Amino acid sequence: MKTVWISDILNGKHDGQKVELKGWVKRSRGSNKIRFIVLRDSTGSIQCVAKRDSVGDECFENIKSALIESSLIIHGEANPDERADGGYEIIVDSVEIVGPVNPETPFPITESAMAAADGGETEFLLDNRHLYLRTTRMTTMLKLRSTVFGAIHSYFRDLDFIEYQAPNFVAGAVEGGSTLFEVPYFGRKAYLTQSWQLYAEAAMPALERLYTIAPSFRAEKSRTRRHLTEFWHAEMEVAWADNQEIMSYGEGVVRKIAGSLLDERSEELASLGRDLDVIGRYADSKYPRMRYDEAVETLQGLGVEIEWGQDLDYSKEKILTQDFDVPHFLTHYPKIAKPFYHRVDPDDDKYVLCHDLLAPEGYGEIIGGGERTWSEEEILARIDEEGTPREPYQFYIDTRTYGGVPHGGFGLGVDRVCSWLSGADHIREVIPFPRDSRRVTP
RNA sequence: GCCGAUUUAGCUUAGUUGGUGGAGCGUGGGACUGUUAAUCCCAAGGUCAUGGGUUCGAGCCCCAUAAUCGGCGCCA
């Protein structure tokens, strides 16, 4: 007999047919004469009804013994039925328990554990993440996440970008050295990469338009809802592009992600309580661009204490973005607030040609990017100015020595985008096994 | 790194002025012919995070430690 997907039954594709279902027990209830099993597979869940009279005593007792998360193969007839949640149910002919659950070790993710988390997480659920993944909420998050990754790939590939991979073991830092994970490397020290960018710049003269989605690692002891020590970083680099052009790619990919979620996952978004009109606005709007100076003035006008030259920390981002209804770009930060690879604005050397994209609803920065310092003379000056050693960056400097060209790119925090668009309370909710300063297990 | 909080059964929790810890979920047994987190009855299940201290007596008061959670800095 043909195994069918539960979603296909719920879509009415098997009305009145004898079908085989393979899945796991989501819930089980009933009396001495009739038993209801809510079976789930990766596509959905459906009520299966077994009557003692029709399945026989032995099968009925078997069904009663199938605890939550037992895996089953069920044969039966698919029928529309108003009494069943979802409008369809299976009239059971037979049940085979494939993987039983021992009553002495029942599935630990109970209703009470879920209710306490209130759509978020608790220590217990984090400790049992490998099992929590099976719940509707986590499954929904993982499906949204898959769509986000797919949308990023489609966006860049449709524009003829080349997907390009950089090493994860590296010798030097992109950001400040204090946030590097050091790993022993055959008697030497190596580090886990913080960004694909420097290696992408090396390939920029060869491929011109390149992108990746890869993990980045940062040893920040951050305890916030926006930080992970291992996060998924979508980065891109383009030859001959200026800051404005790079921003248009950033806007393009975020709009594409929002649009793909609406097209492919509107049901899941709605189940999380997401307003589809809001997601639609993110997919269809232009994202305004604002200079750093303007942001500082706005904040000062709101009575926020901030001096020119200070980087915008989260508390200020939050105030700034609270009235935004779409993401905004912030450009032209002071040179002193940014690392050496940002290109100094030729019109005013107090600034660099960079941008951050700030998401609304209090989610903050999701993209950081800009033009790169591209002439050999300038890159050497800026490296020395910051007191950064030249040696680990020799390959990076060589990129400029041999036919340097204007170029730029950005990095997008994929998990942050997932968190924002799904409306999650914490970035941990959108990644299967989150890593932060306190947790590397399970 | 800084600030704040939490820790009682497998899970979620109540616990009064300090006087030998109650419940719900889950599990086991029983009842029930259609349930929707089914319902009803019964049972098992606790060194109250760890280590000290105060006290005739500590889940409760004090100190230390640990783990965890939240916020900040830093960033994607």
Side-chain angles (χ1 to χ4, degrees):
Chain A
M1 195 182 292
K2 191 178 145 198
T3 305
V4 301
W5 295 115
I6 288 171
S7 59
D8 285 342
I9 297 173
L10 298 175
N11 288 328
K13 292 187 184 170
H14 300 289
D15 289 9
Q17 293 175 12
K18 294 283 188 184
V19 294
E20 177 180 84
L21 295 178
K22 293 176 176 169
W24 291 260
V25 177
K26 190 175 178 184
R27 226 183 291 289
S28 178
R29 55 179 172 259
S31 70
N32 199 28
K33 297 278 166 56
I34 186 167
R35 196 82 200 160
F36 302 91
I37 296 239
V38 179
L39 193 78
R40 64 160 189 84
D41 68 11
S42 59
T43 70
S45 56
I46 191 168
Q47 172 165 291
C48 304
V49 186
K51 292 177 181 170
R52 186 187 283 277
D53 291 346
S54 45
V55 298
D57 289 345
E58 193 186 335
C59 182
F60 194 81
E61 293 305 318
N62 211 19
I63 290 168
K64 274 173 78 176
S65 74
L67 298 185
I68 287 176
E69 289 305 313
S70 305
S71 52
L72 308 181
I73 298 175
I74 291 182
H75 291 100
E77 188 177 300
N79 283 316
D81 195 305
E82 285 177 1
R83 291 171 295 184
D85 189 22
Y88 284 84
E89 67 180 18
I90 304 296
I91 308 300
V92 173
D93 295 326
S94 69
V95 169
E96 179 192 341
I97 300 182
V98 178
V101 170
N102 188 329
E104 286 172 19
T105 54
F107 191 67
I109 315 297
T110 59
E111 289 291 341
S112 58
M114 295 283 289
D118 191 27
E121 289 162 322
T122 60
E123 183 186 354
F124 177 76
L125 293 177
L126 287 165
D127 287 341
N128 290 280
R129 189 62 163 216
H130 51 297
L131 302 175
Y132 186 44
L133 294 181
R134 303 184 186 195
T135 61
T136 308
R137 185 177 173 85
M138 270 312 298
T139 303
T140 299
M141 290 297 189
L142 295 177
K143 286 176 180 175
L144 293 175
R145 185 179 172 88
S146 170
T147 296
V148 170
F149 275 67
I152 295 167
H153 282 293
S154 300
Y155 177 78
F156 286 116
R157 284 169 178 262
D158 287 350
L159 293 169
D160 294 323
F161 275 64
I162 304 293
E163 184 178 2
Y164 161 84
Q165 292 80 28
N168 289 320
F169 288 123
V170 299
V174 177
E175 311 291 345
S178 62
T179 62
L180 282 167
F181 278 110
E182 188 179 305
V183 289
Y185 200 81
F186 304 111
R188 281 178 291 164
K189 285 178 187 172
Y191 305 92
L192 296 180
T193 186
Q194 297 181 305
S195 168
W196 161 96
Q197 180 195 323
L198 301 191
Y199 290 89
E201 288 186 64
M204 174 275 299
L207 302 173
E208 298 195 54
R209 291 164 293 182
L210 52 161
Y211 84 99
T212 195
I213 307 178
S216 285
F217 305 88
R218 295 191 187 169
E220 295 161 347
K221 288 187 179 173
S222 307
R223 302 189 49 70
T224 79
R225 61 188 63 190
R226 306 177 303 285
H227 286 85
L228 295 167
T229 53
E230 175 182 347
F231 67 96
W232 285 82
H233 210 172
E235 297 183 84
M236 59 85 79
E237 201 69 30
V238 187
W240 313 104
D242 65 13
N243 199 35
Q244 299 297 320
E245 185 179 344
I246 302 294
M247 277 189 273
S248 71
Y249 286 116
E251 177 179 310
V253 72
V254 173
R255 287 174 57 175
K256 168 83 175 182
I257 291 167
S260 298
L261 285 172
L262 274 183
D263 289 344
E264 300 168 25
R265 299 290 174 197
S266 56
E267 230 172 86
E268 283 84 356
L269 286 170
S271 77
L272 294 172
R274 236 22 197 128
D275 182 341
L276 297 182
D277 291 340
V278 169
I279 308 295
R281 197 166 67 218
Y282 300 152
D284 298 334
S285 303
K286 297 290 288 180
Y287 299 169
R289 300 172 186 192
M290 181 190 270
R291 288 181 67 110
Y292 168 88
D293 286 2
E294 202 184 327
V296 169
E297 281 166 27
T298 305
L299 285 166
Q300 285 170 340
L302 291 166
V304 177
E305 273 187 45
I306 179 168
E307 285 176 34
W308 189 93
Q310 258 183 288
D311 207 352
L312 297 177
D313 60 43
Y314 177 67
S315 62
K316 303 194 179 57
E317 275 181 13
K318 204 170 171 182
I319 294 166
L320 189 64
T321 56
Q322 67 190 2
D323 295 327
F324 292 176
D325 55 6
V326 294
H328 281 52
F329 283 103
L330 234 55
T331 68
H332 299 82
Y333 279 67
K335 183 172 78 173
I336 48 174
K338 293 286 178 182
F340 67 82
Y341 54 79
H342 286 100
R343 185 181 174 208
V344 172
D345 186 349
D347 295 335
D348 187 341
D349 65 9
K350 289 202 300 292
Y351 302 96
V352 289
L353 297 170
C354 70
H355 62 269
D356 286 353
L357 182 63
L358 306 182
E361 303 182 72
Y363 285 89
E365 186 175 348
I366 52 173
I367 280 181
E371 283 182 54
R372 315 306 186 193
T373 309
W374 63 271
S375 81
E376 182 182 27
E377 191 187 346
E378 270 182 61
I379 198 77
L380 289 173
R382 292 227 52 201
I383 286 176
D384 294 347
E385 195 178 311
E386 287 192 1
T388 305
R390 289 185 183 190
E391 193 274 325
Y393 297 104
Q394 193 52 55
F395 80 94
Y396 189 70
I397 296 163
D398 275 355
T399 306
R400 280 77 179 158
T401 306
Y402 301 100
V405 297
H407 67 285
F410 65 73
L412 175 148
V414 183
D415 316 278
R416 283 188 178 178
V417 169
C418 292
S419 182
W420 162 51
L421 291 174
S422 67
D425 290 334
H426 199 294
I427 195 169
R428 277 196 307 246
E429 293 175 43
V430 301
I431 186 167
F433 292 97
R435 297 292 181 246
D436 63 31
S437 61
R438 303 264 178 114
R439 183 176 289 278
V440 284
T441 55

